[in-house]
Amino acid sequence: MSTHPPSPVPIAPSPVLSGDARSDFDLTESELHACLDLAAGIKSSPKSYSRALDGMVVSLLFEKPSLRTRITFEVAAKQLGGDSILYTGPIGGREPVKDVARNLERWTSMIVARTFSQTTVDELAAWSSSPVINALSDLYHPCQALADMLTLREHWGGFDGRTLAFVGDGNNVAHSLMLDCARLGVNFTCITPPGYEPSMEILAAARRFAAATGAAIRSTDSLEVGLAGANAVYTDVWASMGQEHEAAERARLFASYQVNAALMSMAAPGALFMHCLPAHREEETTDEVMESPVSVIFDQAENRLHAQKSLMLMLACGDKKD
Ligand code: CP
Ligand code: NVA
């Protein structure tokens, strides 16, 4: 085993994590493995990276609320020797997104953006010569999925032959988990009420990745079918940010998909419980499950910090401009 902390591998050619597997702006399978390896190295030896982003300032743009993402990016930038500036509000309201991108690239070294629409992230990426990171959009949450794959690797000791079941809405978190599982060779089953399945286009993209790794990527409305043999069960809110007006209708339609003790007993013995947080206790899951010994929700939250540091270092190192 090496005694030296790992060095970042440059991400090339597009210095972007848009999360969108349909575009060129995303991590390859080998970059994903490298990002997880570096994250583990940073986690075990954080001080070795305390000057890694020396003098770099990161723009944090948030159109939606955040606790974990905002704080972990701010802490990550500071602990790597850089700094961050926070902007909250609409992106592209006062001026076109392409102008926002070309202003920010003159002042800061990287853009982290939480947006309502994925097209805003894509447009920032297309117009900025600085790296762009998707901090959650309507379609994806790639930073969450990175941290979750790190968490699973730590608890499982590897990915081979493992299965992750996602229960609830086929949403942004489900999409990013599905794409990362496909690239890392983890079987993934999305269990949703009829009408709330993941995007067919993203499912097809995940299956294309899975052809190379052998992962089985499934979508079903059956808890019995989907949970059989699952080594981890993941859920998220039923109504995401921007869908609050649908919350009452969804609560009715999703009721039998609540991740409670009875549902957890349908998965493999010792299956982990996961949630990206924030959670609505007694809706999509129960306090009992969240506080149970198989719950790894705060490991997931901690790993946001290490995974995002790793991603920022790889992007900074692949950014030819700096
Ligand atoms: N999981 C997550 O992204 O949390 P925040 O919305 O608080 O950033
Ligand atoms: N699906 C949720 C995730 C929050 C971290 C949302 O988009 O609101």
Side-chain angles (χ1 to χ4, degrees), residues 165-175 178 188-200 203 218-227 234-238 250 253-259 263:
F166 182 96
V167 182
D169 184 26
N171 64 12
N172 45 8
V173 173
H175 288 157
M178 182 163 69
F188 180 86
T189 308
C190 200
I191 310 167
T192 68
Y196 292 89
E197 295 87 359
S199 143
M200 290 303 290
L203 191 66
R218 303 188 190 93
S219 174
T220 176
D221 62 7
S222 164
L223 289 164
E224 289 74 17
V225 170
L227 289 166
Y234 198 123
T235 193
D236 183 15
V237 292
W238 291 336
R250 285 171 177 250
L253 294 170
F254 283 68
S256 59
Y257 291 80
Q258 182 190 69
V259 179
L263 185 146

Side-chain angles (χ1 to χ4, degrees), residues 33 36-37 148-162 184 186 231 272 296:
H33 279 287
L36 294 179
D37 290 343
D148 295 338
M149 299 319 290
L150 181 63
T151 307
L152 286 172
R153 200 174 75 162
E154 289 170 350
H155 282 274
W156 287 343
F159 293 134
D160 281 356
R162 302 291 187 157
L184 294 169
V186 176
N231 306 105
L272 302 172
V296 296

Side-chain angles (χ1 to χ4, degrees), residues 65-69 114 141 144 276-278 304:
S66 171
L67 174 73
R68 279 147 292 274
T69 309
R114 170 166 287 194
H141 197 359
Q144 180 68 51
C276 56
L277 304 178
R304 294 294 302 275

